[in-house]
């Protein structure tokens, strides 16, 4: 129902994002988008680019007096670094072209992109495949979060591990095994994580991780990790088992997998559930305070491709950054001979940023499925549909089974 498109290269003039299909009257202000962009730039182990950029958004269309108009919303994020790349990234033809990049980095789109698009300079692949693009996605995600907030839905995240270093006590297990609104939900956990240099919840773990990042930097190596994203306040009924692509867990998994360097996605107990008995996995159904709930949340808030009203919980695995400062082998496309892979300025780890980016993508999918179910050209119309649905949800079940 809604789409966003991004455009722009890592060292080009700017990033552009266009959102299509948003209802009118959704609050959207720069002061709520920029803090998300700042969160994305944070994290110990980020590269020098983060000292150059102070990402902030300019709302250029589809918004008036702080509210969406129902027409396409456009935003732009300037690349300050472009002033150092005006020749290399010139849109206009130049008499003398810059030095071509001919040695692909393993683990990025350097060789696959060059083969696919028949480039004669790997720089053409590096620029758009760069994780710089995620700044635009976070801006779109901020718009989605604003829409979700109107319905009491929030999305948060924390880093579970970096470089194989996990916390003493698993916050994920708490989120999955005991669904109890009293235990710390993702909103509090996300706020705690925002105060950590690597967005983890455990101070001892944070220190161990920072030491490991320092060691990686010293060895010219990089690190990946795992992130936990959750959405709170999601109503039952989003998504459907009717078709493969209407299952909301399928859409969420695709959205996570679309984030740079993500190589694994789990919903709820995920792979851990594969090793357990059904009696250890399935969430027993309870009816309390005139509402359905579950005793646990190992399904991660989704059953049969449909949200069940519990927090939606996602875990994603990010591989280490592809640009290594220590040499690993590659091939020079000019000579086809074996050479050391190219090195260029890069992050040593970007797992904290990845958690924020996965939040944005989760918010986007949630907003899309909310609009699919409750529609409405305006926020008010959408809210009317939503309120009617919620009000009648339990009475309808009671009436049908009387
Ligand atoms: C990034 C900005 C760019 C990207 C980087 C993420 O940094 P730099 O200008 O130093 O290249 O290259 O992306 C990667 C590290 C990657 O492997 O794609 C940003 O703004 O997040």
């Amino acid at each position: 129902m809604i789409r966003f498109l991004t455009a722009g290269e890592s060292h080009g003039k700017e990033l552009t994002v266009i959102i299509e299909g948003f209802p009118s009257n959704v609050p959207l202000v720069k002061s709520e988008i920029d803090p998300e962009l700042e969160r994305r730039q944070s994290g110990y182990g980020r590269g020098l680019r983060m000292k150059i950029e102070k990402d902030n958004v300019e709302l250029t269309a589809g918004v008036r007096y702080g509210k969406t108009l129902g027409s396409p919303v456009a935003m732009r994020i300037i690349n300050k670094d472009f002033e150092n790349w005006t020749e290399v990234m010139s849109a206009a033809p130049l008499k003398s072209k810059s030095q071509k990049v001919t040695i692909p980095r393993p683990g990025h789109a350097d060789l696959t992109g060059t083969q696919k698009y028949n480039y004669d300079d790997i720089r053409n692949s590096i620029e758009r495949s760069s994780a710089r693009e995620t700044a635009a996605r976070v801006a779109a995600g901020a718009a989605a979060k604003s829409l979700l907030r109107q319905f009491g839905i929030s999305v948060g995240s924390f880093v579970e591990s970096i470089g194989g270093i996990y916390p003493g006590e698993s916050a994920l297990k708490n989120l999955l095994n005991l669904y109890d609104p009293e235990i710390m939900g993702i909103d509090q956990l996300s706020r705690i994580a925002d105060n950590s240099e690597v967005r983890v919840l455990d101070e001892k773990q944070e220190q161990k991780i920072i030491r490991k990042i320092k060691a990686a930097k010293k060895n010219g190596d990089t690190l990946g990790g795992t992130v936990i994203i959750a959405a709170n306040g999601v109503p039952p009924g989003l998504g459907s088992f009717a078709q493969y692509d209407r299952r909301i867990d399928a859409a969420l998994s695709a959205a996570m997998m679309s984030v740079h360097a993500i190589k694994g996605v789990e919903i709820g107990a995920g792979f851990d559930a594969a090793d357990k008995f059904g009696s250890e996995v399935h969430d027993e159904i309870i009816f309390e305070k005139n509402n359905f709930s579950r005793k646990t949340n190992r399904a991660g808030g989704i059953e049969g491709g449909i949200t069940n009203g519990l927090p939606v919980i996602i875990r994603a695995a990010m591989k280490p950054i592809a640009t290594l400062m220590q040499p690993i082998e590659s091939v020079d496309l000019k000579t086809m001979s074996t050479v050391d892979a190219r090195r260029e300025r890069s992050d040593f780890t970007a797992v904290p940023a990845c958690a924020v980016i996965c939040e944005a993508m989760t918010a986007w999918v949630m907003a899309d499925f909310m609009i699919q179910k409750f529609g409405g050209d305006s926020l008010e119309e959408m809210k009317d549909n939503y309120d009617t649905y919620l009000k009648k949800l339990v009475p309808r079940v009671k009436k049908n089974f009387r």
Side-chain angles (χ1 to χ4, degrees), residues 12 29 51 75 91 122 124 131 160 166 189 207 232 243 251 270 274 338 367 387 398:
V29 290
K51 295 197 175 357
M75 301 185 260
I122 295 177
N124 294 342
E160 180 193 43
Y166 286 79
L189 295 174
Q207 293 315 313
N232 255 355
Q243 292 301 337
T338 301
D387 292 343
K398 284 185 173 172

Side-chain angles (χ1 to χ4, degrees), residues 131-344:
R132 176 70 190 159
E133 187 258 345
T134 60
R137 298 205 203 182
V138 167
K145 283 187 173 185
S146 176
L147 182 134
L148 295 176
R149 265 196 297 277
Q150 313 310 313
F151 299 89
I153 300 170
S154 56
V155 180
S157 72
F158 59 89
V159 170
E160 180 193 43
S161 73
I162 292 181
I165 297 175
Y166 286 79
E169 190 204 349
S170 164
L172 172 63
K173 278 214 167 10
N174 291 341
L175 284 173
L176 294 175
N177 286 336
L178 177 65
Y179 170 65
D180 166 358
E182 299 316 312
I183 63 165
M184 243 200 280
I186 192 62
D187 298 337
Q188 298 101 311
L189 295 174
S190 205
R191 274 195 293 278
I192 294 169
D194 281 344
N195 294 324
S196 157
E197 277 194 275
V198 286
R199 297 206 74 247
V200 297
L201 303 172
D202 174 314
E203 273 178 40
K204 282 208 200 74
Q205 179 197 16
E206 179 188 69
Q207 293 315 313
K208 279 189 209 152
I209 286 174
I210 289 175
R211 280 197 296 276
K212 187 154 187 178
I213 295 171
K214 283 180 180 160
K217 268 187 191 174
K218 208 157 125 264
N219 303 331
D221 220 326
T222 60
L223 293 168
T226 57
V227 297
I228 308 296
I229 301 89
N232 255 355
V234 180
L238 300 187
S240 168
F241 48 59
Q243 292 301 337
Y244 77 95
D245 57 353
R246 292 182 56 197
R247 287 174 170 261
I248 194 167
D249 40 356
L252 286 165
S253 305
M256 293 313 106
M257 197 54 93
S258 79
V259 174
H260 300 64
I262 293 289
K263 299 307 269 186
V265 180
E266 293 180 288
I267 303 282
F271 281 80
D272 191 52
D275 305 336
K276 297 263 184 353
F277 288 110
S279 56
E280 294 173 307
V281 172
H282 303 309
D283 304 308
E284 291 173 280
I285 295 170
I286 50 177
F287 188 72
E288 60 180 14
K289 296 177 198 152
N290 195 34
N291 217 336
F292 291 102
S293 187
R294 306 293 190 280
K295 276 188 187 163
T296 53
N297 188 18
R298 297 179 196 116
I302 300 173
E303 290 169 309
I306 302 171
T307 54
N308 64 13
L310 269 64
V312 172
I313 297 171
I314 305 166
R315 182 170 185 253
M318 179 187 191
K319 72 176 185 181
I321 296 285
T323 311
L324 304 186
M325 296 308 156
Q326 65 158 280
I328 58 173
E329 272 190 18
S330 185
V331 173
D332 188 333
L333 305 186
K334 214 168 40 193
T335 61
M336 296 302 171
S337 56
T338 301
V339 293
D340 284 347
R342 242 182 104 255
R343 284 156 252 181
E344 66 176 62

Side-chain angles (χ1 to χ4, degrees), residues 10-11 40 46 49-50 108 130-132 345-347:
S10 178
H11 305 102
R40 189 202 72 93
R46 298 302 303 274
R49 179 73 183 272
M50 294 305 111
H108 219 305
S130 154
R132 176 70 190 159
R345 180 186 69 193
S346 178
D347 301 302

